[in-house]
């Protein structure tokens, strides 16, 4: 494969790699890049062309069993697709290097995260037998730093009548007396969803290797009026001033998405409240509800039971209908056990999302060691299950993110990769004041670009009169030009720009005095393969006061995780390039504005791989 075409190779070698601290004052700009960028729009659609290697999409098993379909959204319902001629080298490249994933097979939701005696624990929905959803158990891993992981034996397996069809999602509650209560959903032989309780067999074991199911299981059955397949995913419990714990469980009544609340003293017997914590018409089944306090001011996380002055509460639901995690910030009344959104127009399911990309079934926990709230989220594949079976694995977890209320807007959350990820940073490169003119692509000559942590800051300079009435969304992708954007980075691009994943801002002059900015990821050209899902993701993003436009992008092989304005908006994408892999992957800046220059400041680190391997149990 050609490494550098004349188009991209005019920089003298001395300017290619600048160690941090040196200024890169000028870079050549290639306006032909614009033509290259605009010439591939047709790749956004994925026609099924006649070919020899057709395959059948496996039937969605999750729906039958009462949970979301687990196939890629673009492929559900399609009977046949063309299969790309993937090589083992391509499949091997897709495996991530510093995101958590088991060694093989299928993983979905994070479960019961907690910190215990010096170890972070993550449990996860896991199929030990295959790379597709089914036969769900709880995988288990521990870490000292949330980055390097040691895989432990399965924590919970479907071996009782009340979970024989799957040990589904659940949450941990740490009692002030030191006990851990693990509540999880079991799917019974007739697919009824019930709630069960498990305990560490030996709470003094830092690894929490063995788990015991409570003899009183199931501790909760679907209440009257709730469908047997609409009752799942208990939250971490929070303690009320009456000394009783509250547990929330997601459900629906027809299209009314809702959260039930139970009170309990001992996690064995429960009283169902006669009202919902909250409900939103038209939102359908709420899976994986999460409910937690955030400080109005300050950067510390709060214990799940914190309530009162200076505290807001976040309610999150993973919507079965949208396959996205929707949240709202609001006020919790701990006496009435009611939660009210601050802005009813941005209620759960109709307002903000944690992540505008491929992201679902998230869960937070309070890290009492570092007084922070940490958010885990599941990132599924967007290729076909057929290819996942060939690869032998599917899906990963995000880098754990701290989550706090955005004190500048008062209405958003800020999600940010835990600081421990910085321990993976290797060689760094600084680029100062890179000028990218309208319609230009600028190569960033650094070392390997498949494992990166990129911080970029953009200043926009309008070079002609203001224009209003232009495209006002992410929908047009990186190729839809307007006077002020889009501009950003092209990650995982090949030298000829036939494959690229763009992460960009699009400021739009909505009125003579106001600019609305969008933060977007365009995957439509991320791969030449026809059998992967390629869309444009994104959202408007508040830019407050004199803030510059800032993005952080974590590139880790087939995942590109992007944070705009300090994590006010987040987009996670899965991408499967065929050419822009290994040493043939490149990184570029681009500016597709018609009437603006952008000046870019970048700091980029190559990232080490994390150790994720089995715990050496024989050495215990
Ligand atoms: N995954 C679990 C369910 C949950 C769904 C089953 C969300 O408990 O509702 O694997 O992805």
């Amino acid at each position: 494969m050609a490494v550098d075409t004349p188009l991209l190779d005019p920089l003298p070698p001395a300017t290619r790699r600048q160690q941090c601290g040196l200024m890169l004052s000028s870079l050549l700009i290639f306006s032909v890049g614009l033509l290259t960028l605009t010439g591939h729009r047709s790749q956004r659609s994925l026609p099924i062309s006649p070919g020899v290697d057709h395959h059948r999409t496996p039937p969605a098993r999750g729906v039958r069993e009462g949970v979301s379909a687990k196939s890629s959204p673009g492929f559900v319902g399609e009977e046949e697709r063309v299969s790309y001629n993937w090589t083992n080298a391509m499949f091997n490249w897709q495996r991530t290097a510093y995101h958590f994933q088991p060694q093989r097979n299928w993983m979905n939701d994070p479960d019961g995260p907690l910190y215990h005696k010096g170890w972070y624990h993550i449990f996860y929905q896991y199929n030990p037998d295959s790379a597709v959803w089914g036969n769900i158990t709880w995988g288990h891993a521990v870490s000292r730093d949330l980055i390097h992981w040691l895989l432990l034996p399965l924590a919970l397996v479907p071996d009782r009548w009340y979970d024989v069809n799957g040990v589904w999602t659940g949450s941990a509650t740490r009692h002030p007396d030191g006990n851990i209560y693990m509540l999880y959903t079991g799917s019974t032989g007739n697919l009824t969803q019930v709630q069960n309780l498990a305990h560490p067999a030996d709470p003094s074991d830092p690894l929490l290797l063995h788990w015991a199911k409570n003899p009183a299981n199931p501790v909760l059955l679907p209440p009257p009026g709730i469908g047997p397949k609409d009752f799942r995913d208990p939250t971490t419990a929070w303690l009320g001033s009456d000394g009783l714990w509250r547990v929330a469980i997601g459900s629906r009544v027809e299209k009314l998405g809702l959260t039930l609340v139970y009170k309990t003293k001992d996690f064995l017997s429960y009283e169902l409240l006669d009202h919902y914590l909250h409900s939103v018409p038209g939102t359908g089944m709420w899976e994986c509800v999460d409910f937690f306090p955030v400080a109005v001011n300050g950067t510390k996380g709060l214990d799940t039971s914190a309530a009162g002055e200076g505290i807001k509460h976040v309610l999150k639901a993973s919507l079965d209908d949208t396959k996205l995690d929707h949240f709202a910030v609001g006020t919790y009344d701990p006496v009435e056990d009611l939660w009210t959104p601050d802005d009813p127009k941005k209620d759960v399911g109709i307002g903000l999302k944690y992540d505008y990309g491929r992201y679902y079934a998230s869960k937070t926990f309070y890290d009492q060691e570092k007084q922070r709230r940490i958010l885990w989220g599941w990132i599924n594949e967007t290729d076909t299950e057929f290819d996942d079976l060939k690869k032998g694995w599917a899906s990963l977890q995000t880098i754990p993110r701290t989550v706090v209320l955005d004190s500048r807007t008062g209405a958003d959350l800020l999600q940010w990769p835990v600081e421990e990820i910085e321990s993976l940073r290797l060689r760094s490169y600084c680029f100062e004041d890179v000028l990218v003119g309208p319609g230009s692509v600028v190569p960033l000559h650094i070392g390997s670009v498949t494992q990166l942590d990129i911080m970029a800051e953009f200043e926009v300079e309008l070079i002609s009169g203001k224009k209003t009435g232009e495209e006002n969304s992410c929908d047009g992708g990186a190729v839809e030009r307007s006077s002020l954007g889009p501009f950003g980075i092209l990650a995982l691009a090949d030298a000829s720009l036939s494959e690229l994943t763009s992460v960009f801002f699009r400021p739009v002059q909505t009125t003579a005095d106001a600019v609305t900015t969008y933060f977007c990821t365009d995957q439509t050209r991320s791969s030449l393969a026809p059998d992967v899902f390629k869309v444009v993701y994104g959202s408007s993003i508040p830019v407050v006061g004199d803030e510059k436009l800032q993005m952080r992008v974590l590139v880790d092989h087939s995942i590109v995780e992007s944070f705009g304005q300090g994590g006010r908006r987040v987009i996670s994408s899965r991408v499967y390039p065929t050419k822009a892999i290994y040493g043939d992957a490149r990184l570029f800046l681009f500016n597709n504005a018609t009437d603006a220059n952008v000046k870019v400041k970048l700091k980029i680190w190559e990232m080490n791989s994390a150790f994720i391997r089995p715990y050496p149990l024989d050495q215990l």
Side-chain angles (χ1 to χ4, degrees):
M1 171 171 284
V3 174
D4 274 324
T5 67
L7 169 68
L8 299 171
D9 196 27
L11 295 181
T15 63
R16 290 191 173 185
R17 291 186 175 182
Q18 299 288 327
Q19 296 301 313
C20 245
L22 296 179
M23 300 268 282
L24 195 70
S25 54
S26 68
L27 285 166
L28 288 182
I29 294 169
F30 304 98
S31 50
V32 284
L34 168 68
L35 296 176
T36 320
L37 269 180
T38 53
H40 287 70
R41 286 200 65 173
S42 61
Q43 289 188 15
R44 198 165 298 132
S45 62
L46 295 173
I48 299 181
S49 56
V52 281
D53 193 8
H54 283 217
H55 63 76
R56 294 208 158 264
T57 306
R61 298 159 312 285
V63 172
R64 184 182 63 82
E65 300 195 7
V67 286
S68 309
K70 299 300 174 191
S71 315
S72 292
F75 305 139
V76 174
E78 288 188 14
E79 296 224 318
E80 269 193 349
R81 294 204 66 83
V82 176
S83 184
Y84 186 74
N85 193 16
W86 295 99
T87 62
N88 280 340
M90 290 173 189
F91 278 153
N92 290 341
W93 180 88
Q94 290 168 15
R95 196 166 168 88
T96 62
Y98 62 89
H99 281 74
F100 176 77
Q101 56 183 138
Q103 290 184 303
R104 61 188 72 83
N105 293 328
W106 167 269
M107 172 175 65
N108 55 297
D109 319 354
D111 291 316
L114 60 100
Y115 180 82
H116 182 68
K117 296 186 186 296
W119 291 96
Y120 292 99
H121 291 251
I122 183 72
F123 304 85
Y124 48 93
Q125 298 281 282
Y126 182 58
N127 181 349
D129 301 327
S130 172
V132 295
W133 186 87
N135 183 29
I136 291 295
T137 66
W138 273 32
H140 183 193
V142 287
S143 171
R144 293 281 190 195
D145 62 1
L146 291 163
I147 300 297
H148 304 287
W149 291 93
L150 293 166
L151 303 160
L152 291 169
L154 299 177
L156 295 169
V157 297
D159 56 2
R160 307 294 162 93
W161 69 267
Y162 51 77
D163 60 16
V164 71
N165 203 39
V167 183
W168 288 0
T169 280
S171 306
T173 302
R174 295 183 61 87
H175 197 284
D177 66 12
N179 280 322
I180 296 169
Y181 293 84
M182 196 66 92
L183 278 173
Y184 71 91
T185 298
S187 180
T188 68
N190 70 359
L191 304 179
T192 297
Q193 295 166 11
V194 299
Q195 315 311 325
N196 303 310
L197 181 61
H199 314 268
D202 174 8
S204 69
D205 171 16
L207 297 180
L208 300 174
L209 268 177
H210 302 290
W211 288 80
K213 295 180 184 174
N214 195 290
N217 283 340
V219 294
L220 279 171
L221 302 174
I226 294 295
K229 291 185 186 175
D230 299 327
F231 182 59
R232 57 185 179 270
D233 311 333
T235 61
T236 294
W238 65 98
L239 192 57
S241 55
D242 55 4
L244 296 176
W245 293 92
R246 277 84 169 146
V247 175
I249 298 177
S251 186
R252 73 177 170 118
V253 173
E254 293 173 0
K255 277 305 217 183
L256 181 75
L258 58 94
T259 302
L260 304 164
V261 183
Y262 289 86
K263 285 188 184 180
T264 180
K265 191 163 62 293
D266 53 11
F267 291 85
L268 292 173
S269 55
Y270 295 80
E271 178 202 345
L272 176 62
L273 299 193
D274 61 2
H275 58 271
Y276 308 136
L277 178 70
H278 191 59
S279 61
V280 181
T283 53
M285 177 66 198
W286 286 14
E287 297 187 307
C288 302
V289 166
D290 199 14
F291 185 61
F292 60 89
V294 283
V296 172
N297 290 305
T299 53
K300 283 204 168 24
L302 298 174
D303 179 88
T304 310
S305 299
E309 277 292 291
I311 292 177
K312 294 261 176 205
H313 274 76
V314 174
L315 179 60
K316 184 277 297 187
S318 305
L319 260 54
D320 209 1
D321 288 2
T322 64
K323 307 286 183 291
L324 289 165
D325 278 17
H326 302 253
F327 77 96
V329 177
T331 304
Y332 169 56
D333 177 340
V335 176
E336 299 297 327
D337 284 305
L338 280 169
W339 175 88
T340 320
D342 284 351
D343 178 356
K345 290 193 293 305
K346 291 189 176 168
D347 206 340
V348 179
I350 57 173
L352 297 169
K353 296 161 196 154
Y354 274 174
D355 189 309
Y356 289 78
R358 184 68 162 153
Y359 179 94
Y360 199 62
S362 62
K363 185 176 298 300
T364 62
F365 76 103
Y366 177 61
D367 171 6
Q368 72 273 21
E369 177 70 5
K370 290 200 169 180
Q371 287 103 54
R372 55 189 176 172
R373 184 157 287 273
I374 292 177
L375 172 67
W376 280 99
W378 163 47
I379 313 247
N380 200 349
E381 305 296 313
T382 51
D383 62 353
T384 62
E385 289 190 336
F386 181 78
D387 290 331
D388 295 342
L389 287 165
K390 283 205 224 158
K391 279 191 294 193
W393 61 272
S395 83
L396 47 104
Q397 304 291 338
T398 57
I399 295 299
R401 304 168 181 167
T402 55
V403 53
V404 294
L405 187 69
D406 181 349
S407 57
R408 291 191 132 198
T409 68
D412 299 281
L413 294 176
L414 297 177
Q415 301 171 48
W416 200 242
V418 291
E419 61 188 5
E420 289 88 338
I421 196 183
E422 292 161 28
S423 68
L424 295 178
R425 287 172 171 173
L426 299 171
R427 189 157 45 155
S428 62
Y429 305 87
C430 287
F431 297 89
E432 294 277 350
D433 297 334
V434 183
L435 187 68
V436 193
S440 304
V441 173
V442 174
L444 295 169
H445 290 286
I446 63 170
S448 167
V449 305
T450 51
Q451 293 174 213
L452 293 180
D453 185 352
I454 304 168
M455 302 270 216
E457 192 174 278
F458 301 82
E459 268 181 81
V460 188
E461 184 207 0
L462 184 64
I463 51 180
S464 61
K466 287 182 185 173
K467 285 186 198 141
T468 54
E470 296 179 307
E471 165 76 19
N472 196 352
S473 74
C474 289
D475 295 351
V479 296
E480 181 86 55
R481 302 190 72 182
S482 56
S483 47
L484 295 175
F487 53 80
I489 64 161
L490 304 178
L492 299 175
D494 67 319
S496 66
L497 299 181
S498 65
E499 288 184 327
L500 51 89
T501 296
S502 40
V503 183
F504 60 89
F505 289 107
R506 174 192 292 282
V508 182
Q509 192 80 49
T510 32
T511 67
D513 305 318
V515 170
T516 303
T517 302
Y518 290 82
F519 182 54
C520 326
T521 299
D522 182 347
Q523 305 180 126
T524 55
R525 288 179 54 193
S526 58
S527 175
L528 295 175
D531 58 347
V532 298
F533 188 55
K534 292 178 275 194
V535 287
V536 181
Y537 293 127
S539 149
S540 61
I541 183 168
V543 181
V544 184
D546 57 358
E547 282 179 356
K548 295 203 174 127
L549 296 180
Q550 294 171 328
M551 62 170 76
R552 179 173 184 186
V553 181
L554 299 175
V555 180
D556 185 9
H557 297 258
S558 58
I559 177 165
V560 177
E561 215 175 328
S562 307
F563 302 80
Q565 300 308 99
R568 198 173 281 150
R569 293 289 183 276
V570 185
I571 307 171
S572 298
S573 307
R574 299 301 309 280
V575 289
Y576 309 89
T578 61
K579 292 167 75 181
I581 56 177
Y582 298 106
D584 292 328
R586 299 277 181 277
L587 182 69
F588 298 85
L589 291 170
F590 81 100
N591 176 11
N592 235 349
T594 51
D595 302 299
N597 284 319
V598 288
K599 205 160 69 178
V600 192
K601 193 165 141 189
L602 291 134
K603 185 153 185 187
I604 304 170
W605 290 265
E606 290 178 35
M607 294 293 273
N608 210 343
S609 302
F611 291 113
I612 302 171
R613 57 189 172 200
Y615 193 101
L617 290 172
D618 52 346
Q619 290 169 28
L620 278 182

